[in-house]
Amino acid sequence: MSTQQDLPPSRDGLFRTKTIEQSIRDTEEPEHALKKSLSALDLTVFGVGVIIGTGIFVLTGKVAKETAGPATAIAFVVAGVVCALAALCYAEFASTVPVAGSAYTFSYASLGELVAWIIGWDLVLEFALGTAVVAVGWSGYVRSLLDNIGWSMPDALSGTDATAGFGFDILAFALVLVLTVVLVLGMKLSAQVTTVVVAIKVAVVLIVIIAGLFFIDTANYSPFIPEAQPQSAGSGLQAPLVQLIFGYAPTNFGVMGIFTAASVVFFAFIGFDVVATAAEETKVPQRDMPRGIMASLLICTTLYVAVSIVVTGMEHYSELSVDAPLADAFKAVGHPVYAGIISFGAAIGLTVVCMILLLGQTRVFFAMSRDGLLPRFFSRTHPRFRTPYRPTILLGVIIAIVAGFTSINELATLVNIGTLFAFVVVALGVIVLRRTRPGLHRAFRTPWVPLLPIASVAASVWLMLNLPAETWLRFGIWMVIGVVIYFAYGRKHSRVHHTTE
């Protein structure tokens, strides 16, 4: 309950806020309400499902071989701590403002409409590109499995027909369309599908860990922290922004190499924030949201650390494969059957990653539409399934086409900077809302405010600075486009704006 000492929300200008009470009332409108069907277990499964993806199957070998050696396990712990700082901030907001939209909705309640629009626009890009990139990666794994059994797809239908200058990845396209249908049919169905797929994926990871323990050679752990080496300097827009601003060039290996590796493996954790987008569809969000967010992050960090320890023990870090380190490590010790199981698990696992990223994007789009910042047409829920079917179908078709026609690998880092930017905004939002609404009931309270949110901001900004300047430029262009749309449409049609007239 709020108190009389709480500051009233701003209703004027670019930083007008939407009260938490109004946000919750909007969820009760029959035509714009989402069905509440998720439990803490469902949320944890969603979190594990979206976090465990290409990172654990691919990134482990690349980082160990090029940046940290066996100390990759420590880098995963460091990255997990950075994510935990952000997760504690997300947990407070998600339990206090159980409304679809995640960081967008949280920003609207604390930092104002313009900031909310910017973060919403950012999340639309993050989830869209993430879905497309994962769909293309899934297609690659499936084609590899088909090749293993003697089936091969025409290059023109796999997006790899370089000679013709044209290719359409039919598998990536079809995957996104099928997942779009699943999401339209309902969250509970989505949760059931996710539970089955995550069970398979986690089982594969556990097989890697348990089977790999029998092939560990402790000599491969020496040296555990290899001697530091200067990292090759980038140039121009390809260089990390921190290098261009401060002249600091990150190192490979050594103690500082662990932190360099952490800035890379952090991206294997991307996705836990998607759990917060399902707050409105959770039965008891005040209790289950913090549990789901923190449990999924803890489970995935534990699995990441265990896998990195096993794979660097099976094969010396300098000999690890970059493309398929887990599978190739088992081939190196004479057990190719496990390699096939791992490839199958990767293909299955990426299916649910793709679905949950698509789910996250549609919920943010739906929330922005319900607030009038995007056309209200998209905020109508399905009369039977109570899902935001209009934005789901629109975005699903667009992303399917994008995934079919381009690999967009060069744009993948935009997903990373978008996530980190959301972390910064949410952490700042916790500090602001504690000051403007101190008496607001919070089922979960982020500890050590403002120190912990400030630490979260600092850690996220540091990782952002380690991204290439080119990524910052592309991100800036997308943000400029978003600001133009806001002033041309969103600001005039905002429901908060019309309630003050």
Side-chain angles (χ1 to χ4, degrees):
M1 299 294 291
S2 60
T3 66
Q4 296 297 322
Q5 288 73 33
D6 289 346
L7 297 175
S10 169
R11 292 289 183 179
D12 301 314
L14 301 177
F15 299 100
R16 56 196 177 205
T17 56
K18 181 180 180 182
T19 66
I20 293 172
E21 293 79 6
Q22 181 59 51
S23 294
I24 294 176
R25 280 196 298 270
D26 287 347
T27 69
E28 299 169 354
E29 298 176 357
E31 293 183 337
H32 307 284
L34 298 173
K35 184 178 180 180
K36 297 182 181 296
S37 60
L38 301 180
S39 64
L41 178 60
D42 292 327
L43 295 173
T44 302
V45 170
F46 270 131
V48 173
V50 74
I51 296 172
I52 297 182
T54 53
I56 199 168
F57 294 110
V58 178
L59 202 57
T60 304
K62 178 179 176 62
V63 171
K65 185 172 185 176
E66 300 177 358
T67 312
T72 296
I74 302 177
F76 273 117
V77 173
V78 173
V81 170
V82 173
C83 289
L85 294 175
L88 288 169
C89 297
Y90 268 89
E92 174 168 319
F93 263 125
S95 61
T96 307
V97 195
V99 178
S102 184
Y104 159 76
T105 301
F106 308 156
S107 302
Y108 214 157
S110 56
L111 301 175
E113 185 173 277
L114 178 60
V115 176
W117 167 267
I118 290 174
I119 196 65
W121 188 246
D122 160 56
L123 292 174
V124 167
L125 175 71
E126 173 194 340
F127 294 147
L129 290 182
T131 304
V133 169
V134 172
V136 171
W138 173 88
S139 174
Y141 275 109
V142 172
R143 291 197 305 271
S144 176
L145 287 172
L146 292 176
D147 288 340
N148 289 341
I149 60 176
W151 295 355
S152 60
M153 295 184 62
D155 289 344
L157 293 179
S158 60
T160 58
D161 193 353
T163 57
F166 171 83
F168 184 76
D169 194 331
I170 189 67
L171 292 177
F173 174 80
L175 173 66
V176 177
L177 290 186
V178 170
L179 295 180
T180 298
V181 173
V182 172
L183 290 176
V184 167
L185 293 179
M187 277 295 288
K188 194 60 184 178
L189 174 61
S190 304
Q192 292 168 345
V193 171
T194 302
T195 300
V196 173
V197 173
V198 170
I200 295 173
K201 180 163 58 173
V202 172
V204 171
V205 173
L206 291 176
I207 288 173
V208 171
I209 296 171
I210 296 172
L213 288 174
F214 295 95
F215 304 108
I216 288 178
D217 181 354
T218 55
N220 289 329
Y221 292 134
S222 181
F224 190 76
I225 302 179
E227 185 177 349
Q229 300 175 6
Q231 196 175 90
S232 57
S235 60
L237 293 178
Q238 297 297 324
L241 191 63
V242 67
Q243 180 177 327
L244 297 180
I245 296 177
F246 303 109
Y248 166 76
T251 63
N252 291 333
F253 306 113
V255 174
M256 292 307 298
I258 295 175
F259 293 96
T260 302
S263 69
V264 177
V265 300
F266 161 81
F267 305 125
F269 290 91
I270 285 178
F272 80 84
D273 55 316
V274 180
V275 176
T277 66
E280 191 175 328
E281 293 155 279
T282 303
K283 295 176 182 176
V284 190
Q286 294 79 7
R287 179 195 67 194
D288 294 341
M289 263 292 150
R291 292 180 179 180
I293 291 174
M294 299 306 297
S296 60
L297 186 60
L298 177 62
I299 291 171
C300 292
T301 301
T302 302
L303 292 176
Y304 279 178
V305 170
V307 167
S308 61
I309 290 176
V310 168
V311 75
T312 53
M314 291 177 63
E315 192 174 13
H316 194 269
Y317 74 89
S318 62
E319 299 175 356
L320 284 173
S321 161
V322 173
D323 296 327
L326 274 63
D328 289 347
F330 277 101
K331 289 180 181 178
V333 295
H335 289 272
V337 173
Y338 286 113
I341 294 175
I342 292 169
S343 295
F344 173 76
I348 292 293
L350 291 180
T351 304
V352 76
V353 175
C354 192
M355 183 180 74
I356 299 175
L357 287 173
L358 180 59
L359 179 150
Q361 189 200 36
T362 58
R363 269 44 179 185
V364 173
F365 198 95
F366 169 79
M368 296 174 74
S369 173
R370 189 165 57 188
D371 290 333
L373 300 182
L374 289 171
R376 290 269 289 172
F377 170 84
F378 294 108
S379 64
R380 293 289 183 94
T381 54
H382 194 281
R384 177 183 175 187
F385 304 121
R386 310 309 303 170
T387 56
Y389 68 107
R390 289 174 175 173
T392 301
I393 294 172
L394 171 68
L395 297 171
V397 171
I398 292 174
I399 295 172
I401 294 172
V402 171
F405 277 108
T406 176
S407 67
I408 60 174
N409 289 329
E410 67 278 6
L411 299 181
T413 52
L414 282 172
V415 179
N416 307 331
I417 196 171
T419 301
L420 289 164
F421 181 62
F423 286 4
V424 170
V425 172
V426 169
L428 292 176
V430 167
I431 298 174
V432 171
L433 201 62
R434 285 286 186 95
R435 292 182 62 86
T436 59
R437 299 292 303 275
L440 186 69
H441 174 68
R442 293 167 170 84
F444 177 87
R445 296 177 67 88
T446 302
W448 307 310
V449 174
L451 294 180
L452 189 146
I454 291 173
S456 178
V457 170
S460 298
V461 169
W462 173 252
L463 294 182
M464 291 173 73
L465 290 174
N466 279 276
L467 292 172
E470 184 178 30
T471 299
W472 281 82
L473 178 61
R474 289 171 173 166
F475 182 68
I477 293 173
W478 177 257
M479 289 294 104
V480 169
I481 294 173
V483 170
V484 170
I485 294 175
Y486 171 73
F487 282 103
Y489 180 90
R491 189 183 184 196
K492 300 175 184 177
H493 294 82
S494 164
R495 295 184 70 197
V496 171
H497 170 69
H498 286 292
T499 59
T500 61
E501 293 184 340

